[in-house]
Amino acid sequence: MDKRTKIVLFSIAAVVLLIILIAVTPEIVRYVDENRAVAIVNGEKITKKEFAINYRSQINYYGLDKAFLSQKVGDKTYEQQIKENVLDGLIIRQIELQQARKRNITLSSAEKKAIDQQIEQYKSDSQSGTEFKQYLQTIGATENEYKDQVIKSQIVSKLYDEVTKNQKASDAEIESYYNSHKSDFVEVKASHILFKVNDSKEEAAKKKKAEEILQMIKDGQNFEKLAQKYSEDETTKQKGGDLGYFRKGQMVKEFEDAAFSLNIGEISSIVKTSYGFHIIKVTDRKQLLLSDVKDEIKSTIESQKKDEYYQSLLEKWKKEAKIKKFEDVLKSVSI
């Protein structure tokens, strides 16, 4: 090969290389930018890309826009506050993942397979598949990056279960809780006559009708028969309005407050809720025994003890951790 040919081939190779470099340079720049650290926790990096995925996920979940994010509360915008909260959450999660590794806590192949199957199920359905694809685009994540976030979340959940497994409720604690919360374990049995209000225009007419029926009850007419004839609760009207037994927290507040204020056999005045107007009759009231609610109380106490114990561990782990934040990188993330 003569010198002239070599020069020509070298020139061609140089041009091809330049074209390749021009083509890939934006990707390289983006890769480098996305892999900058927003924080380093015990020597491990939380990347800008991972932060951006979690930040945009929060913005998407609450349906926030730039106008809202730009508003100030005190000396910070909502955007600054949310970014700081998301970053603090990721720092805690990084610490948790490190603690999980120390304990050899990972997901089994079956658990990973279940995640894959769930993602495939999302994708296979025409509606949820489209929504899932749009969601990934909105938060700027690939399917693998989304999967990585799910895996990390489940590892943290397994860490919680492992380190709190010895937080148990004793029989003495259960009995003490029951004795100090007896009013929470009262059930009332009630019936009602409902006059539904679907539009504010019909509210006055429905209230008037409820008042007429209440007067009929006061005049001695049978509550159950009136419920069968006039109630607009299709589920209970044929049973004379019978709702069965319920405890506090199981009905809307206005209904609950009225029902629990009545004695057996008493009938309420007109009670307005989001469903409409009610006339309520309490037909029974009973105090649940400790044996009836022991498992429920046990679960409540243990859940509280686990949360408190885990929170104390988190505070300890965070205090021991070496954490460095990079505010300039944090500021560069946008929706």
Side-chain angles (χ1 to χ4, degrees):
M1 186 182 298
D2 59 29
K3 186 175 180 181
R4 184 184 181 89
T5 303
K6 287 181 179 179
I7 292 172
V8 170
L9 291 174
F10 177 80
S11 299
I12 292 171
V15 170
V16 170
L17 180 60
L18 181 60
I19 292 171
I20 292 172
L21 285 172
I22 292 171
V24 302
T25 293
E27 291 298 317
I28 294 172
V29 170
R30 188 177 71 176
Y31 176 82
V32 171
D33 179 57
E34 289 178 344
N35 278 274
R36 288 194 293 163
V38 289
I40 295 177
V41 183
N42 294 324
E44 293 183 352
K45 181 168 62 173
I46 298 173
T47 67
K48 177 181 176 180
K49 180 66 180 290
E50 183 168 26
F51 171 81
I53 289 170
N54 284 272
Y55 171 62
R56 290 170 187 151
S57 180
Q58 285 283 300
I59 299 302
N60 178 72
Y61 180 81
Y62 291 106
L64 307 180
D65 56 23
K66 289 183 178 179
F68 175 83
L69 293 172
S70 64
Q71 294 178 40
K72 273 198 168 186
V73 178
D75 60 345
K76 292 182 180 179
T77 63
Y78 281 118
E79 179 181 15
Q80 289 171 313
Q81 290 182 333
I82 294 169
K83 281 183 174 181
E84 288 175 6
N85 291 339
V86 171
L87 182 57
D88 288 342
L90 286 173
I91 288 169
I92 291 295
R93 190 182 71 176
Q94 193 72 17
I95 293 171
E96 290 172 309
L97 292 170
Q98 291 165 356
Q99 291 295 327
R101 280 201 302 273
K102 289 180 181 179
R103 293 165 174 78
N104 296 316
I105 297 172
T106 59
L107 297 192
S108 66
S109 57
E111 288 169 327
K112 290 180 180 178
K113 185 178 180 180
I115 295 172
D116 288 333
Q117 289 173 339
Q118 185 65 61
I119 292 173
E120 287 305 316
Q121 188 175 337
Y122 288 151
K123 292 164 60 179
S124 62
D125 181 87
S126 57
Q127 182 175 343
S128 64
T130 301
E131 291 172 352
F132 181 58
K133 186 177 180 180
Q134 290 173 343
Y135 174 70
L136 292 181
Q137 290 174 343
T138 299
I139 66 173
T142 65
E143 187 179 307
N144 282 336
E145 287 167 338
Y146 169 82
K147 179 181 173 182
D148 179 62
Q149 297 304 304
V150 175
I151 288 173
K152 288 177 177 178
S153 177
Q154 291 195 12
I155 289 173
V156 169
S157 180
K158 290 183 75 171
L159 171 69
Y160 177 93
D161 291 341
E162 174 62 26
V163 300
T164 63
K165 63 185 179 183
N166 294 323
Q167 299 300 307
K168 303 295 184 182
S170 68
D171 287 343
E173 288 174 318
I174 293 170
E175 185 174 359
S176 175
Y177 186 97
Y178 173 77
N179 289 330
S180 60
H181 294 79
K182 273 193 172 182
S183 62
D184 293 340
F185 303 115
V186 171
E187 283 188 335
V188 298
K189 186 180 183 185
S191 300
H192 78 145
I193 302 173
L194 171 65
F195 303 88
K196 288 184 178 178
V197 176
N198 299 310
D199 190 303
S200 59
K201 294 178 182 177
E202 62 181 7
E203 185 171 317
K206 288 296 180 80
K207 185 178 182 182
K208 183 179 179 182
K209 186 66 178 177
E211 289 170 342
E212 291 173 357
I213 302 303
L214 180 60
Q215 188 58 51
M216 293 166 70
I217 295 169
K218 289 179 178 179
D219 291 341
Q221 294 196 42
N222 183 273
F223 183 98
E224 286 71 25
K225 288 182 179 179
L226 290 172
Q228 290 173 351
K229 185 175 181 179
Y230 294 107
S231 180
E232 295 175 357
D233 181 349
E234 297 300 326
T235 305
T236 66
K237 66 181 295 181
Q238 295 307 318
K239 299 182 291 182
D242 185 15
L243 291 158
Y245 286 96
F246 55 89
R247 284 164 52 186
K248 289 182 179 179
Q250 294 181 314
M251 297 290 184
V252 292
K253 186 178 186 304
E254 299 88 349
F255 190 98
E256 175 187 290
D257 288 347
F260 278 88
S261 69
L262 299 172
N263 294 317
I264 296 173
E266 279 192 318
I267 294 169
S268 71
S269 56
I270 305 301
V271 177
K272 183 182 179 183
T273 73
S274 56
Y275 295 99
F277 295 100
H278 308 254
I279 304 170
I280 305 167
K281 178 181 179 181
V282 168
T283 56
D284 195 15
R285 175 188 292 266
K286 62 182 179 181
Q287 176 72 53
L288 295 174
L289 301 175
L290 174 59
S291 57
D292 297 325
V293 294
K294 184 174 182 179
D295 288 344
E296 178 187 333
I297 295 173
K298 182 175 184 290
S299 178
T300 298
I301 294 173
E302 289 184 352
S303 178
Q304 183 178 345
K305 290 178 78 170
K306 287 179 178 184
D307 285 347
E308 290 174 354
Y309 179 68
Y310 192 72
Q311 189 59 43
S312 70
L313 286 178
L314 283 180
E315 291 172 3
K316 175 178 176 290
W317 293 338
K318 187 174 181 181
K319 189 175 181 180
E320 294 171 348
K322 294 181 179 178
I323 301 166
K324 185 175 182 181
K325 299 179 183 180
F326 298 90
E327 299 294 339
D328 59 326
V329 181
L330 197 66
K331 290 177 182 177
S332 69
V333 176
S334 64
I335 58 170

